[in-house]
């Protein structure tokens, strides 16, 4: 409270944390040092057994914008959903606890969303590869997606699928909080590939979207992560769960049916190829 006026943060950043102590300080520095200062930084300790809880407390003492909670280990979906329940910002940004964000990223996203009254804006990433991993991941869409265009969600989703550039990471999206409340039903708990539900649902519902062709996000690719582990039944279970949920959405709106069918066809083909 300031002079009896409730100050609403411009952005709530939600960061699930599970055993990422070697990288966590770099991540938190990249958020705490953002040029946009009016932040609500929410750290969800998902039952970490390493030094992550000590680092969380260290940063919470140092920066008054940080709030944190600890939950039994339940996975990233539950952590993000719990973070959303705590969020008070006008916009929402999901950050991963082993990655980094460019200093001006949140300020630039906030300004363009305010200027154009966007439901969300999205951007690109570059990859930080560990020595024991090979980088086969691409997060650059510059020159493929028109950054001067005001997109609606259905049009963007079709375009991304047809050009094989649909990227599901929530860390590449900066989203209006009221918009998210109006349409997003939460990350499916207990699975991997939960990001698909988020990426699809916001596209089905959004009316005003822009793309920024800047690699604001620095994604760390490391051994023994979800991204680098061998394809397994856990992957199949995750895809089965999210695809069933997304298939059900097609029954809710006839206009969604064709793009959802295209998404499901491409996803099933990818799963068969990976398996």
């Amino acid at each position: 409270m300031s002079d009896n006026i409730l100050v609403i943060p411009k952005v709530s950043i939600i960061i699930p944390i599970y055993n990422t102590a070697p990288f966590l300080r770099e991540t938190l520095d990249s958020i705490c040092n953002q040029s946009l200062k009016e932040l609500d930084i929410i750290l969800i300790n998902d039952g970490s057994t390493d030094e992550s809880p000590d680092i969380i407390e260290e940063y919470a003492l140092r920066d008054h914008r940080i709030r944190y909670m600890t939950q039994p280990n339940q996975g990233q979906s539950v952590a993000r959903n719990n973070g959303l329940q705590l969020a008070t910002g006008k916009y929402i940004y999901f950050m991963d606890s082993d990655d980094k964000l460019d200093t001006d990223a949140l300020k630039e996203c906030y300004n363009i969303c305010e200027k154009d009254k966007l439901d969300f804006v999205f951007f690109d990433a570059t990859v930080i590869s560990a020595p024991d991993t090979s980088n086969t991941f691409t997060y650059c869409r510059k020159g493929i997606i028109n950054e001067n265009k005001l997109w609606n969600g259905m049009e963007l989703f079709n375009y991304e699928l047809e050009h094989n550039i649909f990227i599901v990471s929530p860390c590449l999206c900066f989203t209006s909080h009221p918009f998210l409340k109006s349409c997003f039903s939460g990350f499916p708990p207990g699975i991997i590939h939960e990001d698909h539900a988020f990426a699809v649902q916001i596209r089905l519902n959004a009316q005003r979207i822009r793309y920024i062709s800047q690699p604001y996000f620095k994604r760390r690719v490391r051994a023994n992560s979800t991204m680098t582990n061998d394809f397994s039944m856990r992957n199949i279970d995750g895809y089965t769960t999210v695809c069933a949920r997304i298939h059900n959405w097609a029954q809710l709106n006839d206009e969604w049916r064709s793009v959802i069918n295209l998404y499901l066809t491409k996803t099933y083909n990818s799963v068969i190829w990976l398996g």
Side-chain angles (χ1 to χ4, degrees):
M1 298 287 291
S2 175
D3 295 330
N4 296 321
I5 297 173
L6 182 63
V7 178
I8 298 175
K10 291 181 176 177
V11 186
S12 287
I13 303 100
I14 297 168
I15 311 178
I17 299 167
Y18 179 70
N19 289 353
T20 52
F23 318 105
L24 186 53
R25 285 187 174 87
E26 274 190 278
T27 297
L28 295 181
D29 284 342
S30 79
I31 295 299
C32 292
N33 295 331
Q34 287 288 306
S35 56
L36 185 70
K37 300 303 181 185
E38 300 90 336
L39 304 179
D40 169 37
I41 303 170
I42 302 170
L43 312 182
I44 310 294
N45 174 22
D46 186 31
S48 295
T49 58
D50 66 356
E51 296 176 1
S52 295
D54 295 332
I55 297 171
I56 291 170
E57 290 188 15
E58 171 193 332
Y59 274 76
L61 288 171
R62 182 189 307 174
D63 194 322
H64 71 278
R65 300 170 300 176
I66 291 177
R67 296 183 286 151
Y68 69 93
M69 64 168 284
T70 298
Q71 64 181 37
N73 180 245
Q74 298 174 78
Q76 184 165 247
S77 289
V78 174
R80 284 175 173 164
N81 291 339
N82 285 336
L84 267 176
Q85 293 298 313
L86 298 173
T88 59
K90 187 173 183 180
Y91 294 90
I92 298 293
Y93 179 67
F94 294 103
M95 181 70 183
D96 284 348
S97 63
D98 55 351
D99 299 317
K100 296 192 293 184
L101 190 68
D102 283 0
T103 302
D104 290 327
L106 296 181
K107 182 178 181 179
E108 294 298 325
C109 289
Y110 177 83
N111 286 341
I112 192 170
C113 282
E114 286 289 286
K115 175 179 175 290
D116 292 332
K117 309 300 180 188
L118 303 182
D119 294 319
F120 72 89
V121 65
F122 65 107
F123 47 87
D124 288 339
T126 54
V127 170
I128 308 168
S129 293
D132 54 350
T133 61
S134 59
N135 173 29
T136 59
F137 304 99
T138 301
Y139 299 96
C140 180
R141 294 158 288 188
K142 185 173 183 177
I144 304 173
I145 297 179
N146 185 349
E147 59 187 299
N148 297 313
K149 179 179 174 64
L150 181 65
W151 296 83
N152 71 56
M154 292 282 289
E155 182 183 22
L156 174 67
F157 195 18
N158 265 302
Y159 184 88
E160 290 174 313
L161 291 170
E162 289 171 355
H163 290 79
N164 297 313
I165 52 170
F166 176 54
I167 299 174
V168 301
S169 172
C171 299
L172 303 185
C173 293
F174 180 95
T175 312
S176 160
H177 195 175
F179 164 72
L180 211 56
K181 282 183 175 179
S182 73
C183 72
F184 181 51
S185 55
F187 293 93
I191 63 167
I192 58 176
H193 306 303
E194 72 282 355
D195 293 351
H196 284 251
F198 171 84
V200 171
Q201 198 162 32
I202 63 172
R203 280 162 174 78
L204 293 176
N205 287 278
Q207 299 299 317
R208 300 178 65 83
I209 308 165
R210 284 202 184 276
Y211 163 63
I212 303 174
S213 63
Q214 294 295 325
Y216 289 141
F217 190 67
K218 312 305 177 191
R219 163 136 286 174
R220 193 182 304 273
V221 176
R222 53 191 175 92
N224 300 316
S225 70
T226 301
M227 294 172 63
T228 56
N229 282 339
D230 290 340
F231 196 84
S232 68
M233 279 304 300
R234 188 169 178 235
N235 297 92
I236 293 174
D237 289 344
Y239 279 121
T240 300
T241 299
V242 295
C243 286
R245 176 180 287 202
I246 292 166
H247 176 267
N248 288 338
W249 293 339
Q251 318 311 313
L252 302 176
N253 188 327
D254 289 341
E255 293 180 1
W256 294 352
R257 191 162 297 160
S258 63
V259 70
I260 285 176
N261 287 339
L262 178 59
Y263 160 81
L264 291 173
T265 298
K266 285 183 171 286
T267 301
Y268 289 143
N269 286 341
S270 296
V271 170
I272 291 168
W273 183 82
L274 288 169

